[in-house]
Amino acid sequence: MSPELLPMYLLVDSAGDGADPAKQASVDAFVRGFVDLLKTDPDLASRVRLTAIGFSRAVRRLLNQAQPGHIEGVPMKVEGERCYAMAFEWVNRWMQEDRAEAESSGTACRPPLLLVLTDAAPIPGDDWEAAFNALVKANPTVVVRPVYHFNGQSWGSALRWPQDEEHGQVPEQLLDPVVAAEAIIRTHAATPPQAPRRPSPTPSPAPHPARQPAQQVAQQPAQQPVHQPTQQPVHQPTRQPAHQPVHQMVKQPEQQPVQQVVHRPVQQPVRPAPAWVGGFAPYSVGEPGAAALKVKPRPDPTEWDRRDTVLDGVYLHDDLDRRVLQLRAASVRGLSHRYNGTVRQDDYAFRCTEDRRHLVVVVSDGVSNSKLSHKAAAVVSRLGAELVALELARRSPARIEWAEIVTQLSDEIVRLGHKLVEPAPDGGELSVGEVAHHLAATALFGVIELRPVEPEVDAYFYAVGDSSAWVLRDGHVWQPMFEVKNGGEGAASSVTKALPLSRPPAPRGVTTTVKKGDVVVLMSDGIGDPLEDGSRTVGRFLAEAWREPPAPLQFAAQVDFARKTHDDDRTAVAVWAV
């Protein structure tokens, strides 16, 4: 029978300073040495199916059940902070998927081996033990073995594993992690030799060659079973590999003509490559905070139809049906609302004018202390986009009557408040201020010309409240369209203007030009606050992520990045010139 395959998972701690050449070099050297080790043993190389995983704050599967002989390189990039819990959660998921696939295909596999290489203990709040115990429970045959630190210290000094007592520590002289890994692999892969099997004299259908041991495979004349003589038997010397004992040749029943038997090596079953690619790990920027690891989202039982996350990714065409803009949009519920089981209060909307000359974008952020603010945000975004589009049918963007639009939106929110909020104790109608106590939301409008960028187009913005508009210039400079909230200094204030208003504010319209390579982004303060003035960590992260339009799902995940103390709802609409 064919040897059992050995699923092997190499989990490498790739956290650290990406600018540190020593850490990057040590990671590269270990991974390269590990793969070279597997290639030196043909038997081992034919049996191992290697999954290589790098983990920091993100978890990346860089190889998926690969044969060592086919591996040319593994780009393990050092960056970010480590999260053991997330790494074990993804390894658990991938192990279960691989096991299910092997069982469905009838592939015989030994228990999987998980090798972990790291150089530091978990940060506070990393619930790694729960994730590890879940991995072992879901994959009861898994064998987990720690390898040494990059600095040569015992792995057990960083973490304690339930299986440490079973196998003890690696001998102190094995300071090279590749040597330590080799000792572990040899022990795990060792199996007693298979006894040779002889065919029975009783005629039986020949098994499929792919399922026969190497010693039993013989090329037969066309449609002639081994036990039957041919019309003209051919007596020729038997060719036999030098390494194969004589007694392992295929033996013919007595009194039958000896047929030509040619022994051919049989390739070991190769696990077919999956018919899919991809993977996912949440984004984080800097210190993610304990909430990013521990919060388990709950729905709002009073708002079952209010979605946790919404997103869009579309091309927009001009009046000649030319693709001129590409849009990504996402609104995600913040960690505080996920934890408390309350709805997402942000909203957005976009539409093209009927003549396809302009794109209208609206972002609205419901004021957090107003219980029904998500309904106000829906009014501002959806009705607001419609009202601006109607205005553009009558006048140019520079002449839009923003005060009139804000007044209409305020009136609509007040009317909705009279329907949803209990009347005042005296029976009179609620005032604008009383309605705003229950329904209040910011308003941010953007209007972008729908025509090819030759060399630039105009964009117009208007805002009530602290939602912000930006243009990412040349892929790395964030230019704010309005004054930056708090200038990035100190804690962001929660006090902001919002609709409904008893009187419209003074116009705050802004006009700018956008050229190819620029990105227009409208966002709620859930992103605007950690973005600060755009020159710091979050600004660099988003600039790199949004230089080109990401996939819609990826854009939503980037909007939902984890960062300590920033747990508000997040909404962003980004527009690229095609």
Side-chain angles (χ1 to χ4, degrees):
M1 56 185 299
S2 301
E4 296 173 310
L5 299 185
L6 174 55
M8 189 177 299
Y9 298 80
L10 177 64
L11 183 61
V12 178
D13 175 0
S14 59
D17 183 357
D20 180 4
K23 176 63 180 288
Q24 184 67 62
S26 63
V27 171
D28 293 342
F30 171 76
V31 176
R32 183 172 57 253
F34 183 86
V35 172
D36 289 345
L37 162 70
L38 297 178
K39 291 181 179 180
T40 59
D41 186 329
D43 176 67
L44 197 60
S46 68
R47 298 170 58 195
V48 166
R49 297 298 180 266
L50 179 62
T51 298
I53 304 162
F55 79 98
S56 53
R57 178 57 54 188
V59 183
R60 296 180 175 88
R61 181 165 55 176
L62 304 173
L63 292 176
N64 182 23
Q65 295 289 288
Q67 287 186 275
H70 298 162
I71 300 172
E72 298 299 331
V74 186
M76 195 79 67
K77 185 177 181 182
V78 171
E79 59 180 355
E81 298 179 347
R82 65 186 48 77
C83 177
Y84 290 95
M86 189 180 302
F88 293 139
E89 287 174 2
W90 280 101
V91 171
N92 184 4
R93 173 177 174 178
W94 290 327
M95 276 190 178
Q96 293 184 63
E97 291 175 353
D98 293 341
R99 184 176 69 247
E101 183 180 344
E103 291 174 351
S104 65
S105 63
T107 304
C109 296
R110 285 187 54 77
L113 174 63
L114 173 59
L115 291 173
V116 191
L117 185 73
T118 186
D119 64 350
I123 61 174
D126 185 347
D127 191 15
W128 70 270
E129 292 179 287
F132 179 80
N133 291 333
L135 183 154
V136 174
K137 182 177 181 181
N139 305 276
T141 63
V142 66
V143 177
V144 184
R145 293 292 182 263
V147 185
Y148 267 50
H149 282 289
F150 292 115
N151 62 11
Q153 297 300 313
S154 171
W155 212 80
S157 65
L159 298 174
R160 294 293 179 184
W161 296 90
Q163 296 190 14
D164 270 356
E165 298 177 359
E166 175 185 316
H167 71 280
Q169 297 298 333
V170 179
E172 200 61 36
Q173 65 270 22
L174 297 181
L175 297 181
D176 182 349
V178 175
V179 177
E182 180 178 16
I184 294 169
I185 294 170
R186 298 286 181 201
T187 302
H188 182 68
T191 55
Q194 297 285 340
R197 298 179 61 185
R198 299 171 181 264
S200 169
T202 305
S204 59
H208 190 281
R211 298 187 177 89
Q212 298 184 66
Q215 294 85 353
Q216 294 185 17
V217 176
Q219 180 180 11
Q220 307 295 337
Q223 299 180 355
Q224 300 255 355
V226 174
H227 67 277
Q228 293 182 357
T230 58
Q231 293 283 334
Q232 297 179 347
V234 179
H235 298 272
Q236 296 184 7
T238 300
R239 298 181 62 188
Q240 177 183 346
H243 67 274
Q244 187 170 6
V246 175
H247 72 271
Q248 292 186 13
M249 294 174 52
V250 177
K251 185 177 180 180
Q252 304 296 334
E254 295 181 1
Q255 299 179 353
Q256 297 293 341
V258 178
Q259 300 191 28
Q260 181 180 7
V261 180
V262 180
H263 291 271
R264 301 183 184 276
V266 176
Q267 294 184 351
Q268 302 299 332
V270 177
R271 181 174 184 166
W276 60 87
V277 295
F280 172 74
Y283 288 86
S284 64
V285 182
E287 172 57 53
L293 298 172
K294 295 184 176 181
V295 168
K296 308 302 180 186
R298 297 188 298 168
D300 187 335
T302 67
E303 293 280 355
W304 289 110
D305 294 328
R306 181 72 172 174
R307 302 278 67 85
D308 179 280
T309 300
V310 293
L311 60 99
D312 286 281
V314 295
Y315 284 93
L316 302 165
H317 298 69
D318 66 1
D319 55 341
L320 298 179
D321 206 30
R322 295 172 296 188
R323 291 185 300 178
V324 293
L325 298 177
Q326 192 170 175
L327 178 145
R328 297 288 182 268
S331 182
V332 301
R333 191 162 58 134
L335 285 171
S336 60
H337 289 162
R338 289 171 176 171
Y339 175 77
N340 292 317
T342 51
V343 295
R344 171 177 51 85
Q345 296 177 320
D346 282 7
D347 218 324
Y348 71 84
F350 62 90
R351 66 172 59 200
C352 294
T353 55
E354 190 172 348
D355 60 7
R356 291 195 185 180
R357 294 184 59 187
H358 296 95
L359 166 69
V360 179
V361 177
V362 185
V363 168
S364 183
D365 179 359
V367 176
S368 58
N369 58 5
S370 299
K371 186 176 181 180
L372 300 175
S373 64
H374 60 288
K375 296 186 181 295
V379 169
V380 169
S381 58
R382 298 166 199 178
L383 179 59
E386 181 180 351
L387 292 176
V388 173
L390 291 174
E391 275 282 286
L392 291 170
R394 300 193 293 266
R395 51 176 58 96
S396 67
R399 298 178 57 200
I400 292 177
E401 295 289 346
W402 293 111
E404 181 180 335
I405 290 176
V406 169
T407 298
Q408 292 184 65
L409 292 174
S410 293
D411 292 344
E412 185 62 28
I413 293 173
V414 170
R415 280 193 291 270
L416 181 61
H418 290 162
K419 295 178 182 179
L420 300 178
V421 181
E422 293 184 3
D426 60 4
E429 280 193 345
L430 297 174
S431 66
V432 173
E434 290 170 328
V435 170
H437 182 71
H438 299 274
L439 293 91
T442 67
L444 173 63
F445 302 91
V447 176
I448 307 171
E449 289 184 320
L450 272 174
R451 62 180 176 85
V453 183
E454 297 176 355
E456 57 191 21
V457 297
D458 292 329
Y460 307 83
F461 306 94
Y462 180 81
V464 177
D466 56 8
S467 295
S468 56
W470 302 76
V471 178
L472 177 60
R473 304 287 188 188
D474 301 318
H476 66 277
V477 177
W478 287 98
Q479 179 185 359
M481 296 296 100
F482 305 105
E483 182 182 356
V484 176
K485 179 180 177 181
N486 294 325
E489 300 295 334
S493 171
S494 61
V495 178
T496 185
K497 289 183 180 179
L499 305 183
L501 297 171
S502 56
R503 62 177 64 88
R508 292 182 58 198
V510 173
T511 304
T512 191
T513 56
V514 181
K515 65 181 187 300
K516 284 185 178 179
D518 292 343
V519 188
V520 176
V521 187
L522 284 71
M523 62 180 68
S524 66
D525 67 342
I527 299 182
D529 286 351
L531 180 63
E532 300 177 314
D533 64 358
S535 66
R536 306 183 189 185
T537 308
V538 173
R540 294 194 299 271
F541 160 65
L542 294 179
E544 180 179 347
W546 295 348
R547 284 192 180 98
E548 300 292 337
L553 287 171
Q554 187 179 21
F555 181 81
Q558 291 161 348
V559 168
D560 195 30
F561 68 85
R563 186 168 176 82
K564 187 176 181 179
T565 75
H566 294 283
D567 57 4
D568 197 5
D569 296 341
R570 306 262 184 81
T571 299
V573 181
V575 180
W576 292 259
V578 175

